[in-house]
Amino acid sequence: MQCKIRYTTDTLKIYRLFSGALLERNLKKSRRKLALKMVAMHHILVFVAVVIAQVHGEQQTPEYILPCSRSDPELNSCIRNSFNHLRTYVVNGLKDLDVPPLDPLNIKEMAMENNAGAVQVKALFTDILVKGGSNYTIKDVRADINKYRIDVSVTIPRVETRGKYEIIGRVLLLPVQSSGEFWTEFLNISAIGKLYGREVERDGEKYMNIDKIFLDFNMKNARFKVKDNINNGNVLGEAINQFLNSNAHELVQEMRPAASQSIAKLAKQLINSAFNRIPLRVWLLD
């Protein structure tokens, strides 16, 4: 037995209304989905734009860097100019590279030991304040960039230091034990530094890392002044002060190897703070 559905006028009206409501509801859902997709697409585009902007910003060369090219026939002159260009910026430090202000430069401690010659002492200097170091001039550069070897010749007109010290040992044949505060002045300093580096890779970027530095220096004049807390106010304290000032140049020459090693160690830390954060592609163009 077959059942036939009979559509009356009222039935057709209800059907049309119901169908219209469904269609309108579906259209609203479609519009809502389309709106959500558009919002999602907007967020994606914004994210992509931010990433592109960040990448573009990272590729921009900082103003304190003058890039050089490996193929430049005047590469040595370019590197020399780049180091001298840095002078204006390192005075106040480079925060993005964790390089502290160079003038004045605060050094927590520096140890020296000299076991040869007339001056055989162990010395510990702490809370050191160095002024004048930023007034350097790079006179000459010789670089073998394929081996990451750079030799530099530097001059500094005047460097003043002050801080605390502890010294024990022998000067000439006299035993010396002293501690207190010191002040020094060095004039017309000339130095030669030999930097030995290598290429390292991190997170897909190539960097230069300094493995070792050899340093030697000389100067025309030097002055020392100490406030000896152990022998303060007695004949020995005055004798130590007078001896240091009267024989300053000779003492510098005696202590030069030990001082060179300590300064080279500090220089290595400062230079690597910068090199380990600046990709090679930024300052050394292929």
Side-chain angles (χ1 to χ4, degrees), residues 109-117 119-125 128 167-168 186 213-219 250-267:
E109 68 175 37
M110 182 180 292
M112 297 182 192
E113 182 173 357
N114 194 66
N115 294 318
V119 180
Q120 299 183 25
V121 297
K122 292 182 179 179
L124 178 64
F125 303 94
I128 309 166
I167 292 178
I168 186 170
F186 305 111
I213 295 179
F214 292 136
L215 179 69
D216 194 14
F217 67 90
N218 210 334
M219 62 192 67
E250 290 76 11
L251 289 170
V252 168
Q253 294 303 318
E254 289 286 342
M255 291 293 294
R256 191 173 65 182
S260 295
Q261 291 180 9
S262 297
I263 297 171
K265 183 178 179 180
L266 175 64

Side-chain angles (χ1 to χ4, degrees), residues 5-21:
I5 299 176
R6 185 178 179 182
Y7 294 99
T8 63
T9 302
D10 292 334
T11 304
L12 290 172
K13 287 181 180 179
I14 293 171
Y15 174 77
R16 290 191 187 100
L17 289 172
F18 181 73
S19 298

